[in-house]
């Protein structure tokens, strides 16, 4: 029964989020060469418009996802996707540059999808494994849907405006199927509730109380995640420009470079998921963050010294980046809730981090294009990686010490009381 659940949940979660990316990322594989508006590169404006919509969605989601009832999840999930596809139709039919606003409306509902999907998985014995499988979907899917988008351009000969809508259309039926599978998942078992605490909606007062209790580490984590999201999103949105600068132009590179990253992250974080003691697993995530930051620094230094190839560098630095990024998308917070017996849900913490994360993504885009427009995509990416890794090491070290001190005997006594109640 457990194996059947794990298989169904894995397929449903991975498939749903994989399909979501088909409505979000394919347009980035287009170059929109020689197009601009008010003196700014047209593609830059499209990305900024979508990220603004996505960011606003995350801020709205702090409340909506935290308070969402399970009975309404599927309705919102499918409704948000169809709204995003309708916006892509507008992008295809509204003349440029007025269709820029359509990318804003495309991003607006898509920011809610992660929280809805993860809500089906949280608070279970297998949440870590399922969370990593879900997270591996956006590592693989971004490259995969870009490959599909490029095929739509090169093989089916649709123009760059219609390509995003056509690509998304291929994924509507599969997405509805995977959403249906999610909806059929059973509720957490008694054992799940004992190991990971009961999850429930959080009202405004409870959200404030939770944040106040962990204000300093959460603030630092949000800042770290802001950097992670900004640079991961930059790497994702401008993958074609970065790979072109490195001398790779084949469409398959977008998938080939990401598959080893997804597999490695799945294995490492899946191992942590097998650890039953919540505090021990929670500390392991800090080790992963430290190793991830260190691997970014070392691989980038080796690449600059021509000691490793550009493909190896992109893979190792990408692995370090995603090793840090993936835990903050739910499983880090899931263990935090279980460790400190917090009465609430992961969605609230995810969306605080995500909201400011994508705000950072907007800021880094503006900085690159208006503050440091003369720096190449590749040079900017390298500098950003160094900054991220060094700041990440400092923040992770502080949080490690904070949570170790916070986890004292009162918490352990509280665990015994909680177990007796269950």
């Amino acid at each position: 029964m457990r194996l059947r659940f794990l298989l169904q949940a894995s397929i449903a979660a991975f498939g749903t989020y994989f399909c979501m990316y088909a409505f979000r990322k394919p347009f980035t594989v287009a170059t929109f060469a020689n197009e601009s508006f008010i003196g700014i590169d047209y593609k830059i404006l499209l990305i900024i418009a979508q990220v603004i919509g996505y960011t606003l969605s995350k801020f709205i989601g702090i409340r909506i996802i935290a308070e969402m009832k399970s009975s309404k999840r599927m309705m919102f999930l499918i409704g948000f996707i169809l709204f995003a596809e309708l916006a892509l139709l507008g992008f295809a039919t509204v003349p440029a540059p007025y269709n820029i606003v359509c990318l804003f409306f495309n991003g607006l509902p898509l920011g809610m999808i992660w929280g809805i999907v993860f809500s089906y998985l949280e608070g279970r014995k297998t949440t870590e494994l399922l969370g990593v499988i879900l997270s591996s979907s956006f590592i693989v899917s971004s490259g995969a849907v870009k490959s599909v988008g490029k095929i739509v351009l090169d093989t089916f000969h649709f123009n760059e405006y219609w390509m995003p809508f056509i690509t998304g259309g291929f994924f509507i039926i599969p997405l509805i199927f995977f959403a249906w599978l999610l909806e059929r998942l059973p509720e957490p078992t008694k054992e799940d509730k004992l190991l990971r605490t009961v999850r429930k909606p959080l009202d405004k007062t409870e959200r404030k109380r939770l944040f106040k209790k962990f204000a300093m580490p959460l603030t630092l984590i949000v800042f770290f995640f802001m950097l992670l999201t900004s640079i991961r999103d930059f790497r994702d949105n401008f993958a074609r420009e970065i790979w072109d600068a490195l001398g790779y132009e084949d469409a398959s590179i977008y998938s080939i470079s990401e598959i080893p990253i997804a597999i490695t992250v799945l294995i490492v974080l899946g191992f942590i998921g097998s650890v039953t003691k919540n505090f021990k697993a929670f500390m392991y995530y800090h080790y992963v963050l430290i190793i991830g930051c260190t691997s970014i620094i070392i691989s980038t230094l080796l690449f600059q010294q021509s000691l490793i190839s550009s493909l190896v560098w992109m893979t190792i630095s990408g692995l370090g980046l995603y090793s840090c990024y993936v835990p903050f998308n739910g499983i880090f917070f899931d263990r935090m809730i279980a460790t400190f017996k917090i009465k609430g849900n992961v969605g609230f913490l995810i969306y605080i981090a995500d909201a400011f994360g994508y705000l950072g993504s907007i800021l880094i885009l503006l900085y690159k294009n208006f503050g440091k427009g003369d720096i190449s995509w590749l040079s900017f990416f390298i500098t950003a990686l160094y900054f991220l890794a060094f700041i990440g090491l400092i923040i992770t070290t502080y949080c490690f010490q904070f949570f170790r001190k916070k986890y004292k005997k009162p918490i352990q006594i509280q665990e015994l009381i909680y177990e007796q109640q269950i």
Side-chain angles (χ1 to χ4, degrees), residues 182-201:
L182 273 178
E183 188 65 19
R184 289 177 59 85
L185 292 177
E187 292 297 313
T189 65
K190 185 176 181 179
E191 182 186 12
D192 291 329
K193 294 174 182 178
L194 174 62
L195 292 173
R196 298 299 178 87
T197 75
V198 177
R199 305 305 165 93
K200 66 183 189 67

Side-chain angles (χ1 to χ4, degrees), residues 25 59 167 227 360 374 397:
K25 288 295 182 180
F59 279 100
T167 304
L227 296 177
D374 55 330
T397 302

Side-chain angles (χ1 to χ4, degrees), residues 399-416:
C399 290
F400 180 81
Q401 294 299 327
F402 177 92
F403 288 122
R404 282 188 66 184
K405 292 179 180 178
K406 191 76 173 176
Y407 188 77
K408 296 180 179 179
K409 288 185 179 180
I411 294 295
Q412 296 172 21
I413 293 172
Q414 186 179 351
E415 286 182 357
L416 292 175

Side-chain angles (χ1 to χ4, degrees), residues 84-101:
E85 176 72 346
L86 186 62
L88 292 179
L89 178 61
F91 178 71
T93 55
V94 175
Y98 307 108
N99 59 357
I100 292 174
V101 71

Side-chain angles (χ1 to χ4, degrees), residues 220-246:
L220 292 174
I221 286 170
V222 166
F223 180 68
F224 183 23
F225 191 69
M226 179 184 291
L227 296 177
L228 282 167
T229 304
S230 303
I231 296 164
R232 186 207 71 92
D233 220 34
F234 181 87
R235 179 183 184 271
D236 198 29
N237 287 328
F238 297 100
R240 178 165 183 175
E241 286 77 4
I242 294 171
W243 282 114
D244 285 351
L246 293 171

